[in-house]
Amino acid sequence: MIIEWIPGLSFPDWADIVQTAADAALLTEGITETCSVTVWLTDNPGIRQINKKTRSVDKATDVLSFPVLHLHPKATLKHSRSRMRAAYDDHLNAVMLGDMVMSAPMVNRQAAAFKRPIARELAYMTVHAVFHLMGYDHHTREDKREMRAMEEKALNRIGLGESGGPSDEELLALARSAMRRAYTPYSHFNVGAALKCADGRVYLGCNIENASYGLTNCAERTAVFKAVSDGATDFTVIAVAADAEAWPCGACRQVLNEFAPRIRVLVTWGDNHVNEAPLSELLPHSFSSGSLMDASEGLNNG
C-alpha cells in the first residue's frame, strides 16, 4: 500500500501506524497488488466542512472514505480484478483506491472514551476507511458483522486486535508488503522486514540505500529502530522478505542481539519459500552488554 499524505495537521509518528494498518487491511482482503490511498489528517472543523459539502451532514465525524472504484453491490475488491486494472495509475505504479479523511481530535477523543491506546484507535479508523474503499459497508446488520470481522482480522495481523498478534504466515506477508517500499536505486535488491513485539505489535521496515553506500540501512534495522523509538524493546520474531534468500547481515544480527538474543528469524523469497533459524544459531558467541560487564569486572579484579 502506498500512503500519500496531503497538507493538513502534522503527526509524523502516526504515519507508520496508518501505513501498517492499511497494509494489513489489503492483505486481509487477499490483495497483494500495490495500491494507493491519499490520506488527509485534519481537525473537527475541517472534517465537518467536508461532511457538509459532500454528504450534507453538518457535523464532525471521525473518518471519511471516498472510493475511486465503483464496485457492484455486495462485491468487494478481491472480486473486482478488472476494475482494479482499470484504476491502475501509471504515475504511482499502483491501483488508486481513493481518499480518506481523518479527524485527529476524534482519534484522541474516542481513544480516551473507549480506554484504548491512541495507536489502536488510529489503526481501527484506518482499516475501517480502507475496507470502505474496498467495497465494504455497514448498512445492514449482516454487512456490519462482515465488515467488523474483517477489521478485527486486520487489527490482529498487527497486534492491535483481540488476539496475540499475527501468525508467522501473516508476519511473512507483511514483510513482503514492506519490501515493495524499499529504496534501492543502486543495488535494486529490495528487502522488507516485519518485527513482532512480545505484546503482539508489529513494526515494518525496508532497506534504504544511500549514494554514500556505508550509510545504507537494512530493512531489519529500520524495523528495530522504528520499534525502539516507539518504546518497544522486547521482540519475539522477525520476518525478512526478498527476491532471493537473504538472511540478516552481521550488523543486523548484532542489533537484534542487543534487544532479543532469543528472537526467531524467518526468511522468505521467490515463490513463497520460507526458512527459519534462531538468532543464537546465526550469531554464535555473540557480543552483548554482558560482555562489557564481564570485561569491567575483570579490570576491577585486576
Side-chain angles (χ1 to χ4, degrees):
M1 173 74 81
I2 299 171
I3 298 294
E4 289 195 308
W5 292 86
I6 62 176
L9 300 180
S10 178
F11 285 84
D13 55 328
W14 286 18
D16 288 336
I17 299 170
V18 171
Q19 179 71 71
T20 303
D23 284 343
L26 277 185
L27 292 173
T28 302
E29 176 69 0
I31 303 300
T32 56
E33 293 87 344
T34 301
C35 298
S36 178
V37 171
T38 301
V39 179
W40 182 22
L41 193 63
T42 186
D43 55 17
N44 284 343
I47 204 166
R48 180 177 181 177
Q49 183 179 6
I50 295 170
N51 262 316
K52 189 174 182 179
K53 182 177 180 180
T54 61
R55 304 170 61 224
S56 298
V57 175
D58 190 13
K59 67 177 183 177
T61 52
D62 49 12
V63 64
L64 296 172
S65 300
F66 298 97
V68 168
L69 297 173
H70 298 288
L71 307 178
H72 292 296
K74 300 296 183 180
T76 61
L77 196 61
K78 63 187 174 187
H79 304 119
S80 309
R81 299 289 177 171
S82 61
R83 299 199 177 210
M84 283 182 66
R85 288 191 291 271
Y88 187 83
D89 188 310
D90 292 325
H91 175 68
L92 294 172
N93 293 321
V95 178
M96 186 61 191
L97 297 185
D99 306 325
M100 57 182 284
V101 183
M102 193 180 308
S103 167
M106 291 293 280
V107 174
N108 289 312
R109 190 171 84 178
Q110 291 183 183
F114 293 112
K115 295 181 172 57
R116 296 170 177 164
I118 289 177
R120 195 275 181 194
E121 192 64 23
L122 179 61
Y124 171 72
M125 285 194 188
T126 300
V127 299
H128 184 82
V130 173
F131 278 118
H132 271 310
L133 296 177
M134 293 192 293
Y136 289 84
D137 220 319
H138 40 76
H139 293 312
T140 68
R141 182 177 298 178
E142 181 183 348
D143 290 342
K144 184 176 181 179
R145 187 184 303 115
E146 180 185 16
M147 186 174 181
R148 187 68 192 93
M150 293 294 283
E151 290 167 350
E152 188 61 25
K153 286 180 182 178
L155 291 172
N156 285 336
R157 282 180 179 270
I158 55 175
L160 293 173
E162 299 300 324
S163 77
S167 65
D168 286 355
E169 291 74 18
E170 291 170 334
L171 202 66
L172 288 163
L174 286 168
R176 295 184 193 103
S177 179
M179 181 177 70
R180 301 190 190 104
R181 292 191 291 275
Y183 176 75
T184 57
Y186 309 109
S187 73
H188 305 292
F189 189 82
N190 294 355
V191 182
L195 178 68
K196 182 179 178 180
C197 302
D199 62 7
R201 285 180 296 166
V202 175
Y203 290 86
L204 306 184
C206 60
N207 53 329
I208 303 167
E209 294 184 346
N210 193 284
S212 177
Y213 293 163
L215 299 181
T216 293
N217 204 55
C218 298
E220 299 92 323
R221 279 178 282 154
T222 300
V224 170
F225 296 158
K226 285 166 67 175
V228 173
S229 67
D230 204 26
T233 57
D234 192 2
F235 313 125
T236 59
V237 189
I238 188 167
V240 182
D243 290 326
E245 185 175 6
W247 293 88
C249 71
C252 289
R253 297 179 193 197
Q254 182 63 42
V255 168
L256 287 167
N257 186 72
E258 178 73 15
F259 301 99
R262 290 181 293 278
I263 195 171
R264 290 192 300 123
V265 180
L266 309 174
V267 295
T268 182
W269 69 97
D271 189 21
N272 291 337
H273 296 291
V274 177
N275 207 341
E276 175 182 350
L279 182 63
S280 57
E281 181 180 305
L282 299 178
L283 191 66
H285 312 295
S286 63
F287 186 86
S288 67
S289 58
S291 305
L292 293 173
M293 285 186 266
D294 291 343
S296 176
E297 290 176 4
L299 288 172
N300 292 333
N301 292 334

